[in-house]
Amino acid sequence: MGDMTNSDFYTKNQRNDSNHEGGFGCSLMELRSLMELRGTEAVVKIQEDYGGTEGLCQRLKTSPTEGLAGLATDLDKRKEVFGRNLIPPKKPKTFLQLVWEALQDVTLIILEIAALISLGLSFYQPPGEGNTDACGDAKAGAEDEGESEAGWIEGAAILLSVVCVVLVTAFNDWSKEKQFRGLQSRIEQEQKFQVVRGGQVIQLPVADILVGDIAQIKYGDLLPADGVLIQGNDLKIDESSLTGESDHVRKAADKDPMLLSGTHVMEGSGRMVVTAVGVNSQSGIIFTLLGAGGEEEEKKEKKDCSHPSSHPIATIATDGAASANTPANTSLVNGKMQDGNMENNQTKVKKQDGAAAMEMQPLKSAEGGETEEKEKKKTSVSKKEKSVLQGKLTKLAVQIGKAGLVMSAITVIILVLYFAIDTFVRQKRPWLTECTPIYIQYFVKFFIIGVTVLVVAVPEGLPLAVTISLAYSVKKMMKDNNLVRHLDACETMGNATAICSDKTGTLTTNRMTAVQVYVADVHYKTIPEPTSLPSKTLDILVNAISLNSAYTTKILPADKEGGLPKQVGNKTECGLLGLVLDLKRDYQTIRNQIPEEKLYKVYTFNSVRKSMSTVIKLPDGSFRMYSKGASEIILKKCSRILSEVGEPRVFRPRDRDEMVKKVIEPMACDGLRTICVGYRDFPKDPEPNWEDENNILTDLTAICVVGIEDPVRPEVPDAIQKCQRAGITVRMVTGDNINTARAIAIKCGIIHPGEDFLCIDGKEFNRRIRNEKGEVEQERIDKVWPKLRVLARSSPTDKHTLVKGIIDSTLVDQRQVVAVTGDGTNDGPALKKADVGFAMGIAGTDVAKEASDIILTDDNFSSIVKAVMWGRNVYDSISKFLQFQLTVNVVAVIVAFTGACITQDSPLKAVQMLWVNLIMDTFASLALATEPPTESLLMRKPYGRNKPLISSTMTKNILGHGVYQLVIIFSLLFVGEQIFDIDSGRNAPLHSPPSEHYTIIFNTFVMMQLFNEINARKIHGERNVFDGIFRNPIFCSIVVGTFAIQIVIVQFGGKPFSCSPLDLEKWMWCVFLGMGELVWGQVISTIPNSKLRFLRGAGQLTQKDEMPEEEMNEDQEEIDHAERELRRGQILWFRGLNRIQTQIEVVNTFKSGTAFQGALRRQSSTTSQNQDSAKNPGLRVQPTK
């Protein structure tokens, strides 16, 4: 909205507004237009129209110092007039919409069409009943009248089972979305803000902030609403989320007082009066514009999500919406999502939009899988990288899907050819028009068999298993104090190889207490009695600490009797205030004498200054500045020190060196953080130039050096030991002094005396990693990081450089997966760069939380270990599911295929296949994905990024069980009628009644799957598959439930399920053959993997040969779809060639018995050729003979 139109609008409305809404001195629209102004324009407007900020506060009926009175009636009235601080989330998808989406699945559509054709044909009675024999055997078997009527059953049953699959899928999506929204609202409730009400500073949930509230803002906050600055110290704001300008904007009450919601406070502190909340705030307005156009705006929404998603309240609207909407708009996603993500790159928004959205979208059929793959590649532009597991899975799903497609096509072709040759060539029958429907019925039946093979081959359960497993883990991780903001972070954590942790608050308790002090030329090992200090020194010390600290920092009485006093605000300052209390003085009385408004100038703490200074005006008009900060930094600026009688004496560099040796190093070696406090007096005339910091912050007089202790959390050493056992390197990155850091690192067990490791500070780190020009070089970082354990006195950029260096390193064959913890605003870049960013829930600033993937609600390092455990558990759950699923796939496909080729009819009927599909997809994913994690997960090294998804043990299990099942089923198929002495079910005519023979095959097949599901619980070749089975009630109930339903299907399924009831003896046989799986499982696990050399390659396929394609997509993101399809075809073609070559090579190698090396060399050379040819399509690889 231009200012012009607004002003017209207001002049029109001015008359009606004269009485002003609700008795407040300004209307909603006036405030909205006010917030659109910037800089001096705004200052002038406030001055002219409202009489300055004081006047604005009066009109809003609030006090700049006391805040709102907090009366319920007043608060309700404000809500009514100015709105609440909420942005209404988009409506979630209804269940019916989700059902409609589930129906879009390609394989299901094919099945539906086939079923409908089958239904239509079954009702068609051919004319000329007399000459049916002319159509040959085709019509035989439908002679019994009742039978031909039953022809419709198969079609109907298929439709019914499609309905089941769809409902289950839709229900899963729906519950997933519900969970996601719950998570979002939980994240929102977590967010609180400091507000003054009735003269008291209280923490208020962001949603309860109202117009007229006085909010206290400080470094690291994410502003929850629009407001006007009343008073500020050195305030700098990052407004890039609204304006796109990356430079920080200086704010001051007399220059640019306008503060906007969704922007970040990067420096300083202050107080503001809230003038617009919720949908009326600047980011709220952008939001309403997004939501306005409904459907056609959705595309925009996908793009624009990026801006306001930094708005605290907005997160739900974007995350929720993005995640919720994706499954439907697959087509939309194909078209639009990418552009959005490209834009995200510029706005550098957290990867959540794309990531969450992609996470939530199940990759359905084979085709779905492929588009999904492209999409994921697209999204990966904005996201750090496709999560490891998802990359491998997408790839696997596509490979399996293609194989299934080929198999099903071959099945249909063979069936059709066999039928045609048999009928028209061998029996030499003419094609009669009246027979056409019967022939078509046959062809439809063949087609349905083909589709069923495809349905069974395509693992639709994969995405489901991933989602269930992740959603389940996320829910449980809540209990373990991990609030997961991005689903895939949970699984990435299982692959973590390095953790870069902060010291303060994560490894330590973040309860600072002053334990030693050097004052008046004496080093006190315990806090001295106030009487033993010179009174002058004591007064200056107490004033210096009380005034030169954020007034929001306080020590409050304990909540529980006998508990420790509560520390509020900056913990280091709390430690110093504690010292004042220990010296039997009260800081509050001093603060009351000089309230915050009277502080003349404040240089707030930031990571560059590493100190904080406050200037006050003394009664005689001169100035005094108090400073505090890291001891080595402040002492460098001191030229005097207070002596034992409280008088300043000269403090020379050599005195300083002695002090460092005698006082500071011993304190640091005890693991204490050393803080130096000093002061300086300035004359009133001429007044110094306060902007010239370098000349102001020198020539100080030192008062004292305080040693502050922050004890290590008791559970941390144990947690770190677990990490080291699990193959994860823990590194400590801290802003503290190197000696303090080393002492704490030894206490935690990060370093053990006598080991070969590096402990360096930021300066030394930079010296080692930068070349002469001062640029960071990867080779130099590679020399440092493997041994680095402690990085002290590090700046935020050092942390970011280290994380980036480790991630980009090619020293080790596995790319390192790095987790980082952070709490400060300055940790944002490192948290974003890391594979998993952990923000502190209690001490963390909003900026850090916004940049993170997981929030630690208890700020505790040991919760990270829990996250690792859950992450590995997700990975294992997926592997268990895969092992089970692939066995079923292999067997079902081979049975359907060979059965169809040999007996013209699949032994497993379409409806039965769908039931098997339901067991193995939906139920198995539920059962296997909800296994709780055990401590044993932490006993192994992390799986790398390029370790195949299917390990050799798993391949052994899949092939082993596949062989067992195929032997049993083919024995039953070809000699079953003799064993059980029943009629053969083979070569049955078209609508013949279900045979006992085929029922036994189906039943045995399902029994074997059930028992194999128990085998699948262990994937590392463990013996006891029942271990801990009762800890997972879901698993037990699913196995029992499936068994019960199977009994019902067999005994009462009848025609629709092509089952005829079995007697007890036959049932016992089926169960017995099924239980054979458990015995066979033991046999398989006795075979050592080393005996099975060929298995090595089997699992490897999943990852290695994807590399060229991944890289290609990275380089040539701009290529359009069509070209990409061509590329893809070429690559598949090269890859096919490459595989054939490699296989021939391997066979030859084995024949000649020479070493395996040649083949491998061949493979690597072709892989490199692949990459070249992928990059320039003109190149062709000549197939070698």
Side-chain angles (χ1 to χ4, degrees):
M1 315 176 189
D3 295 10
M4 186 57 208
T5 45
N6 284 338
S7 46
D8 295 350
F9 180 68
Y10 298 130
T11 38
K12 276 211 281 295
N13 282 9
Q14 212 58 49
R15 258 162 267 123
N16 335 1
D17 269 350
S18 50
N19 59 348
H20 284 308
E21 312 171 40
F24 291 107
C26 35
S27 69
L28 182 62
M29 293 320 285
E30 279 175 34
L31 288 173
R32 258 177 86 152
S33 66
L34 172 66
M35 290 319 292
E36 280 167 13
L37 305 175
R38 300 276 177 276
T40 40
E41 211 184 342
V43 180
V44 173
K45 170 103 175 159
I46 293 174
Q47 210 49 52
E48 286 174 359
D49 290 17
Y50 301 99
T53 42
E54 299 284 326
L56 181 62
C57 289
Q58 272 166 5
R59 290 205 189 182
L60 287 173
K61 301 191 174 170
T62 179
S63 142
T65 48
E66 302 284 310
L68 297 179
L71 303 169
T73 46
D74 175 47
L75 299 182
D76 291 340
K77 194 158 147 201
R78 284 175 196 275
K79 279 180 196 157
E80 203 177 308
V81 177
F82 299 112
R84 307 185 47 167
N85 199 15
L86 283 173
I87 291 179
K90 276 190 75 159
K91 280 211 288 291
K93 290 230 155 71
T94 58
F95 188 69
L96 287 174
Q97 280 170 304
L98 292 170
V99 168
W100 176 241
E101 276 157 34
L103 280 170
Q104 311 297 311
D105 185 4
V106 188
T107 29
L108 286 180
I109 292 174
I110 299 176
L111 264 184
E112 287 155 27
I113 294 169
L116 288 171
I117 296 176
S118 159
L119 266 180
L121 289 170
S122 67
F123 289 124
Y124 172 83
Q125 284 295 323
E129 280 296 314
N131 62 352
T132 31
D133 55 330
C135 306
D137 318 340
K139 198 72 179 82
E143 304 305 59
D144 331 338
E145 250 323 279
E147 278 311 328
S148 59
E149 257 71 284
W152 59 274
I153 292 184
E154 184 166 36
I158 292 179
L159 284 180
L160 191 71
S161 46
V162 166
V163 169
C164 277
V165 172
V166 165
L167 287 177
V168 170
T169 316
F171 178 73
N172 270 312
D173 285 349
W174 178 77
S175 57
K176 200 160 62 190
E177 193 167 310
K178 193 161 136 252
Q179 250 179 359
F180 196 79
R181 293 203 166 236
L183 185 71
Q184 270 305 331
S185 58
R186 161 98 192 244
I187 290 179
E188 263 164 57
Q189 287 153 11
E190 293 275 309
Q191 199 179 10
K192 294 196 160 54
F193 209 81
Q194 286 199 328
V195 175
V196 181
R197 281 206 182 159
Q200 291 292 316
V201 180
I202 54 169
Q203 293 271 345
L204 207 60
V206 165
D208 297 347
I209 291 177
L210 299 171
V211 170
D213 260 323
I214 304 294
Q216 293 202 335
I217 56 177
K218 60 181 186 313
Y219 153 84
D221 283 342
L222 181 87
L223 298 183
D226 291 358
V228 176
L229 187 65
I230 304 176
Q231 173 263 327
N233 306 321
D234 205 12
L235 196 61
K236 285 190 191 156
I237 304 263
D238 171 12
E239 294 190 346
S240 60
S241 58
L242 284 180
T243 60
E245 290 295 321
S246 59
D247 293 341
H248 298 171
V249 187
R250 262 183 184 269
K251 298 283 180 182
D254 51 356
K255 296 202 179 63
D256 180 1
M258 307 316 251
L259 301 172
L260 308 173
S261 58
T263 58
H264 291 128
V265 182
M266 299 314 274
E267 246 182 68
S269 60
R271 288 209 316 277
M272 71 169 186
V273 56
V274 176
T275 53
V277 293
V279 284
N280 301 307
S281 66
Q282 289 303 300
S283 45
I285 291 169
I286 295 180
F287 249 91
T288 33
L289 289 178
L290 291 182
E295 284 308 298
E296 76 273 23
E297 287 293 315
E298 282 217 8
K299 305 181 181 124
K300 269 242 193 60
E301 165 123 34
K302 286 279 185 295
K303 293 187 191 173
D304 289 337
C305 273
S306 53
H307 290 293
S309 72
S310 45
H311 189 298
I313 320 142
T315 35
I316 177 156
T318 58
D319 276 41
S323 65
N325 294 339
T326 340
N329 319 342
T330 318
S331 54
L332 177 153
V333 178
N334 282 339
K336 270 287 172 250
M337 190 86 164
Q338 317 73 287
D339 330 20
N341 282 332
M342 295 293 187
E343 280 189 44
N344 286 2
N345 267 0
Q346 300 154 14
T347 23
K348 293 214 187 53
V349 97
K350 181 62 190 152
K351 47 169 213 190
Q352 69 204 30
D353 318 43
M358 288 318 311
E359 260 321 321
M360 304 316 283
Q361 174 172 358
L363 113 231
K364 302 235 173 83
S365 60
E367 290 86 331
E370 295 196 38
T371 51
E372 170 104 5
E373 181 170 45
K374 282 184 223 113
E375 238 131 88
K376 284 235 188 78
K377 293 250 171 69
K378 289 283 171 25
T379 355
S380 68
V381 184
S382 83
K383 208 173 143 291
K384 300 164 183 167
E385 221 175 86
K386 189 158 59 170
S387 85
V388 189
L389 183 64
Q390 244 168 336
K392 292 180 181 179
L393 280 178
T394 312
K395 176 118 198 334
L396 191 71
V398 171
Q399 286 182 339
I400 297 175
K402 282 179 187 153
L405 208 59
V406 172
M407 289 290 274
S408 61
I410 297 176
T411 313
V412 174
I413 293 166
I414 290 181
L415 284 170
V416 171
L417 284 177
Y418 189 98
F419 176 77
I421 292 171
D422 191 48
T423 311
F424 303 121
V425 180
R426 283 196 20 234
Q427 301 177 20
K428 300 193 171 48
R429 291 176 187 281
W431 179 298
L432 301 172
T433 39
E434 60 267 34
C435 292
T436 309
I438 296 173
Y439 295 147
I440 289 181
Q441 244 172 322
Y442 261 106
F443 291 144
V444 168
K445 178 181 158 188
F446 298 152
F447 183 62
I448 289 180
I449 292 174
V451 174
T452 331
V453 173
L454 179 65
V455 170
V456 176
V458 171
E460 302 94 9
L462 268 185
L464 189 66
V466 177
T467 318
I468 290 178
S469 180
L470 285 172
Y472 171 78
S473 303
V474 166
K475 210 164 155 184
K476 292 281 192 226
M477 280 168 82
M478 286 282 223
K479 295 200 176 89
D480 284 339
N481 302 312
N482 283 298
L483 188 112
V484 181
R485 292 183 66 232
H486 302 118
L487 276 183
D488 56 345
C490 156
E491 160 259 313
T492 313
M493 210 41 224
N495 283 322
T497 54
I499 299 177
C500 294
S501 170
D502 271 4
K503 175 178 79 71
T504 312
T506 315
L507 300 173
T508 58
T509 54
N510 203 9
R511 253 203 87 80
M512 306 278 188
T513 36
V515 288
Q516 297 185 17
V517 60
Y518 176 87
V519 63
D521 285 344
V522 187
H523 182 176
Y524 294 95
K525 295 282 188 180
T526 54
I527 302 301
E529 284 298 311
T531 48
S532 60
L533 301 181
S535 57
K536 264 193 202 160
T537 310
L538 189 58
D539 287 342
I540 291 185
L541 173 61
V542 170
N543 278 338
I545 291 175
S546 308
L547 299 174
N548 183 28
S549 56
Y551 277 34
T552 48
T553 304
K554 296 188 178 69
I555 294 185
L556 304 177
D559 291 341
K560 305 196 272 293
E561 198 127 318
L564 293 165
K566 221 162 73 178
Q567 299 188 337
V568 181
N570 180 317
K571 300 295 192 238
T572 313
E573 289 182 353
C574 287
L576 291 171
L577 292 177
L579 174 66
V580 172
L581 297 176
D582 289 341
L583 292 170
K584 315 276 190 292
R585 292 296 190 90
D586 182 17
Y587 61 88
Q588 199 54 54
T589 45
I590 299 171
R591 286 183 176 180
N592 295 345
Q593 288 161 11
I594 306 184
E596 202 166 1
E597 301 76 74
K598 292 222 184 114
L599 298 178
Y600 198 79
K601 167 90 181 141
V602 179
Y603 300 95
T604 50
F605 181 89
N606 64 24
S607 51
V608 181
R609 287 191 191 118
K610 286 224 190 275
S611 67
M612 171 181 179
S613 309
T614 304
V615 181
I616 56 166
K617 202 167 186 173
L618 297 174
D620 63 0
S622 65
F623 302 98
R624 173 170 284 178
M625 176 181 77
Y626 294 115
S627 273
K628 68 163 189 286
S631 54
E632 51 259 56
I633 289 167
I634 297 282
L635 283 177
K636 279 202 185 94
K637 299 178 177 169
C638 289
S639 55
R640 291 190 228 32
I641 188 164
L642 292 181
S643 67
E644 66 267 23
V645 289
E647 292 303 326
R649 64 174 168 81
V650 181
F651 184 63
R652 291 183 297 277
R654 75 156 185 268
D655 301 334
R656 186 172 69 230
D657 297 339
E658 191 181 3
M659 177 131 167
V660 167
K661 255 204 217 64
K662 294 263 172 67
V663 178
I664 292 172
E665 283 185 359
M667 281 187 184
C669 291
D670 292 341
L672 303 184
R673 172 181 265 189
T674 53
I675 303 285
C676 179
V677 184
Y679 76 101
R680 179 182 176 184
D681 288 326
F682 295 97
K684 67 171 176 196
D685 220 34
E687 183 174 333
N689 171 13
W690 300 114
E691 292 310 310
D692 177 14
E693 269 185 52
N694 293 342
N695 289 330
I696 300 276
L697 294 177
T698 55
D699 199 23
L700 304 176
T701 306
I703 306 171
C704 70
V705 175
V706 186
I708 295 182
E709 181 183 42
D710 183 8
V712 172
R713 285 174 181 261
E715 61 277 23
V716 162
D718 187 39
I720 286 182
Q721 199 185 351
K722 278 185 191 159
C723 282
Q724 289 163 342
R725 250 208 321 259
I728 302 169
T729 313
V730 183
R731 293 182 175 83
M732 179 159 100
V733 182
T734 172
D736 248 343
N737 165 322
I738 181 133
N739 295 325
T740 313
R742 190 185 288 120
I744 298 276
I746 291 175
K747 282 184 189 165
C748 293
I750 292 178
I751 54 183
H752 304 288
E755 275 181 8
D756 179 23
F757 54 78
L758 273 181
C759 284
I760 53 178
D761 58 7
K763 211 184 259 161
E764 171 68 9
F765 176 67
N766 280 309
R767 195 183 62 68
R768 290 193 186 196
I769 62 167
R770 293 178 190 276
N771 58 16
E772 295 69 53
K773 296 187 195 136
E775 296 156 349
V776 178
E777 284 186 358
Q778 187 63 44
E779 302 84 76
R780 288 170 181 251
I781 297 187
D782 285 346
K783 290 199 185 93
V784 175
W785 74 258
K787 285 187 180 173
L788 182 68
R789 290 293 175 274
V790 175
L791 181 57
R793 281 277 173 255
S794 72
S795 67
T797 36
D798 294 341
K799 193 171 187 176
H800 182 253
T801 312
L802 176 65
V803 172
K804 185 172 180 307
I806 298 181
I807 288 181
D808 296 345
S809 172
T810 48
L811 256 194
V812 277
D813 46 357
Q814 301 285 13
R815 146 153 153 37
Q816 295 273 309
V817 178
V818 184
V820 168
T821 68
D823 50 6
T825 307
N826 48 14
D827 291 328
L831 286 172
K832 266 190 184 158
K833 177 67 193 164
D835 295 285
V836 182
F838 285 93
M840 301 297 137
I842 305 167
T845 57
D846 299 339
V847 183
K849 289 181 190 171
E850 194 60 29
S852 69
D853 303 291
I854 298 180
I855 296 173
L856 293 178
T857 48
D858 63 346
D859 286 14
N860 194 337
F861 186 84
S862 58
S863 304
I864 298 179
V865 182
K866 296 254 177 50
V868 173
M869 215 154 83
W870 277 107
R872 292 187 170 191
N873 193 48
V874 169
Y875 206 95
D876 278 7
S877 298
I878 306 300
S879 301
K880 289 170 189 175
F881 174 69
L882 265 177
Q883 178 174 310
F884 174 69
Q885 163 109 35
L886 291 177
T887 314
V888 186
N889 277 7
V890 170
V891 175
V893 170
I894 295 180
V895 167
F897 176 71
T898 43
C901 298
I902 300 172
T903 66
Q904 270 67 98
D905 184 8
S906 164
L908 299 170
K909 299 290 182 291
V911 184
Q912 295 174 351
M913 287 279 212
L914 283 167
W915 161 236
V916 170
N917 210 25
L918 201 68
I919 303 181
M920 69 184 195
D921 277 2
T922 318
F923 295 154
S925 58
L926 256 176
L928 292 168
T930 52
E931 288 271 313
T934 56
E935 285 281 333
S936 60
L937 287 168
L938 294 175
M939 294 304 191
R940 60 171 174 76
K941 298 278 177 277
Y943 295 139
R945 279 187 167 259
N946 39 12
K947 175 177 182 302
L949 198 56
I950 303 169
S951 66
S952 47
T953 315
M954 286 167 65
T955 319
K956 181 179 74 178
N957 289 340
I958 292 170
L959 296 178
H961 289 296
V963 168
Y964 173 81
Q965 297 186 10
L966 286 172
V967 168
I968 299 281
I969 285 178
F970 284 134
S971 315
L972 288 174
L973 180 57
F974 297 114
V975 290
E977 70 271 30
Q978 291 145 28
I979 303 173
F980 289 108
D981 190 26
I982 44 178
D983 297 336
S984 166
R986 292 195 300 282
N987 300 329
L990 197 57
H991 291 304
S992 55
S995 65
E996 260 190 288
H997 182 189
Y998 275 21
T999 309
I1000 291 178
I1001 294 179
F1002 165 58
N1003 200 14
T1004 310
F1005 182 65
V1006 173
M1007 287 304 126
M1008 290 195 290
Q1009 299 327 323
L1010 267 186
F1011 286 103
N1012 196 25
E1013 196 166 339
I1014 299 175
N1015 275 333
R1017 290 184 66 245
K1018 301 291 178 215
I1019 47 173
H1020 299 299
E1022 295 93 332
R1023 284 281 178 182
N1024 180 5
V1025 287
F1026 292 102
D1027 178 38
I1029 193 164
F1030 296 114
R1031 279 214 308 276
N1032 188 358
I1034 302 181
F1035 184 87
C1036 302
S1037 48
I1038 282 178
V1039 172
V1040 174
T1042 316
F1043 192 77
I1045 300 173
Q1046 178 66 14
I1047 295 179
V1048 173
I1049 289 178
V1050 171
Q1051 298 306 84
F1052 310 105
K1055 182 78 188 169
F1057 279 99
S1058 323
C1059 287
S1060 79
L1062 301 175
D1063 55 31
L1064 189 63
E1065 187 195 358
K1066 296 193 179 80
W1067 259 104
M1068 291 322 258
W1069 273 106
C1070 294
V1071 176
F1072 172 71
L1073 290 170
M1075 288 182 81
E1077 272 288 2
L1078 293 174
V1079 183
W1080 185 245
Q1082 294 300 317
V1083 175
I1084 294 177
S1085 56
T1086 2
I1087 305 171
N1089 290 5
S1090 50
K1091 289 277 185 295
L1092 307 165
R1093 296 254 329 249
F1094 65 93
L1095 291 183
R1096 296 259 170 80
Q1100 205 65 32
L1101 277 183
T1102 51
Q1103 192 64 18
K1104 277 285 195 283
D1105 47 25
E1106 185 64 14
M1107 288 335 225
E1109 187 174 351
E1110 291 278 347
E1111 283 162 27
M1112 172 194 97
N1113 272 19
E1114 255 35 286
D1115 302 339
Q1116 302 161 324
E1117 232 1 282
E1118 307 76 53
I1119 305 180
D1120 68 332
H1121 271 318
E1123 209 173 319
R1124 180 161 312 173
E1125 276 303 304
L1126 279 172
R1127 278 300 152 84
R1128 196 183 178 129
Q1130 281 175 348
I1131 283 181
L1132 286 172
W1133 168 241
F1134 289 135
R1135 205 183 299 155
L1137 271 181
N1138 185 8
R1139 274 186 208 165
I1140 293 167
Q1141 288 166 7
T1142 313
Q1143 279 155 6
I1144 293 171
E1145 198 88 25
V1146 173
V1147 173
N1148 295 342
T1149 316
F1150 275 135
K1151 274 185 196 155
S1152 58
T1154 50
F1156 201 43
Q1157 299 306 320
L1160 293 176
R1161 223 171 290 131
R1162 179 84 205 84
Q1163 171 134 28
S1164 58
S1165 65
T1166 30
T1167 314
S1168 56
Q1169 277 173 305
N1170 267 1
Q1171 288 167 349
D1172 300 339
S1173 44
K1175 295 204 173 86
N1176 28 3
L1179 244 170
R1180 289 282 179 273
V1181 179
Q1182 287 301 316
T1184 46
K1185 290 294 171 289

